[in-house]
Amino acid sequence: MRHDWFAAIDACERLLDETATTLQELNQVLMRDTGLMLALLQEVEQAAAMVDARDAEAAAHAVAEQVERVAAWGGERQRAWSEYYQYVQRYLRTVVRLDPQRAMSQRLRDQLAGWMEQPFALHVAAVAPIRLLRELEARVERPPVERPRRPLDEALAVEAPDVAPEALEARVRALLADGPGSLSTVVGALLPELPGHERFKAVGRIAELVARDVRVLREIERAWVPVPASIEIEDWALVPRESA
């Protein structure tokens, strides 16, 4: 019986030490990570202040305050555990282990014997958990994103076909029939006939049509020539394919 009694006390001390080690490791992780988070949040807050982003600066400051609360809560829990650890250690060594009058062991035997008549339970200290880190907001149920439904019997709209590409191609062929000597001549003649917002895009289309119908001389250096609408193009020397 004496051997079992001291073995049980040793098991309680080992469990207490293992719990203390685990909590110490968790506290070290908490302190390290909160320190890193505070440093990053401080950098975010300084960057937001430099560009006068008041909302971002206030948000970073608010999150930093919450992280500081977490660090303070962790430190407080660690101090409370240290006090509890020291108290239990003193109790086990000075009261339970010695027990010169066998008062505690006899009381334990009596409780075990009369457990069915008067059950007993383990009482622990209730520590309030840390509060929520963000303000409560009313949750708004957003409607799902749906494609607007169109009536199946809706009449189709009749639109005239776009004849602009065909018209541009006909004008390019007409100008090439006159034998222009360069690409800038063709582009300069056609751009004034087009709306201002379509001229830049039309330059590429004109160059494509020209290269399809005539032969372009390969030159080592090609001059950049201004054309209407404040556009400059790389000029090409053109030769009819019949003369190629």
Side-chain angles (χ1 to χ4, degrees):
M1 179 64 182
R2 182 181 180 85
H3 176 73
D4 295 339
W5 178 262
F6 287 112
I9 296 176
D10 294 338
C12 292
E13 290 180 345
R14 286 195 302 271
L15 178 61
L16 190 65
D17 292 336
E18 292 175 359
T19 305
T21 302
T22 302
L23 292 178
Q24 185 177 7
E25 293 176 355
L26 292 175
N27 186 66
Q28 291 176 354
V29 173
L30 179 64
M31 294 298 103
R32 183 187 68 242
D33 291 349
T34 51
L36 294 175
M37 292 178 64
L38 288 174
L40 294 175
L41 288 171
Q42 185 176 7
E43 294 179 2
V44 172
E45 187 175 354
Q46 292 176 354
M50 292 177 61
V51 297
D52 199 20
R54 300 298 176 84
D55 294 341
E57 182 180 2
H61 183 72
V63 174
E65 290 181 348
Q66 300 294 351
V67 174
E68 290 177 352
R69 287 184 56 194
V70 173
W73 177 84
E76 183 180 354
R77 299 279 70 78
Q78 183 67 23
R79 287 190 295 272
W81 166 257
S82 299
E83 296 176 359
Y84 175 78
Y85 175 83
Q86 294 174 6
Y87 172 79
V88 174
Q89 284 283 12
R90 288 196 302 269
Y91 186 78
L92 289 175
R93 293 173 181 175
T94 60
V95 179
V96 179
R97 182 176 291 276
L98 297 178
D99 193 17
Q101 303 299 328
R102 299 292 188 270
M104 180 168 294
S105 57
Q106 185 61 40
R107 183 180 178 184
L108 181 60
R109 291 193 189 95
D110 296 340
Q111 287 183 350
L112 293 175
W115 180 79
M116 297 299 296
E117 300 177 0
Q118 186 178 359
F120 59 90
L122 176 65
H123 293 277
V124 297
V127 179
I130 188 170
R131 300 301 178 185
L132 294 176
L133 302 182
R134 59 177 64 88
E135 298 180 359
L136 294 178
E137 298 180 357
R139 185 174 181 179
V140 180
E141 295 292 339
R142 298 182 179 179
V145 179
E146 296 181 354
R147 184 176 181 179
R149 297 182 178 274
R150 300 177 60 182
L152 299 178
D153 56 349
E154 182 179 0
L156 298 179
V158 179
E159 296 183 359
D162 187 8
V163 297
E166 289 78 6
L168 179 62
E169 184 174 356
R171 287 286 295 128
V172 171
R173 291 182 183 279
L175 289 174
L176 292 179
D178 296 337
S182 63
L183 174 64
S184 60
T185 304
V186 180
V187 175
L190 293 177
L191 285 188
E193 303 175 4
L194 301 175
H197 64 279
E198 296 182 359
R199 292 177 179 177
F200 183 81
K201 183 173 61 176
V203 171
R205 178 60 176 163
I206 294 171
E208 178 186 1
L209 295 172
V210 169
R212 184 190 304 172
D213 292 347
V214 299
R215 187 168 67 89
V216 179
L217 293 181
R218 296 183 178 179
E219 300 176 349
I220 297 178
E221 294 184 2
R222 294 175 177 174
W224 287 85
V225 179
V227 294
S230 301
I231 299 175
E232 290 188 2
I233 64 172
E234 189 180 38
D235 203 5
W236 300 345
L238 307 179
V239 178
R241 291 191 179 276
E242 292 76 5
S243 63

